[in-house]
Amino acid sequence: MGFHFPGKFTAKQGAEARNVPKGYLAVYVGEAQKKRFMVPISYLKSPSFQNLLIQAEEEFGFDHPMGGLTIPCTEETFIDVTRSLNSL
């Protein structure tokens, strides 16, 4: 599973935007309240993660409300997908 950093983050928090470890991607997940997760870029080649990216593209296009990549699914769904990727 990716790493979860609790609390609210906004794209305007420049210091937070720079605190993405090399080899990781920050994504925002959740329905009402968004949480920030760090996922390894290796997940980008996974079909199940690509399905989440397609959902994001269909819902937001290139205009993500959090300023970063926002995935429109529940936190539980996202955790299930990343957990299955970690077990590979």
Side-chain angles (χ1 to χ4, degrees), residues 8-39:
K8 286 187 173 184
F9 295 92
T10 65
K12 297 190 186 325
Q13 292 174 313
E16 291 299 329
R18 290 187 295 269
N19 288 333
V20 179
K22 186 174 182 176
Y24 285 80
L25 171 71
V27 297
Y28 297 90
V29 178
E31 293 175 325
Q33 183 155 355
K34 308 286 188 235
K35 291 188 180 179
R36 187 177 190 216
F37 290 84
M38 299 292 175
V39 295

Side-chain angles (χ1 to χ4, degrees), residues 55-73:
Q55 289 177 14
E57 177 186 24
E58 289 171 353
E59 184 159 333
F60 301 114
F62 292 107
D63 185 26
H64 292 265
M66 297 294 292
L69 180 59
T70 305
I71 298 181
C73 69

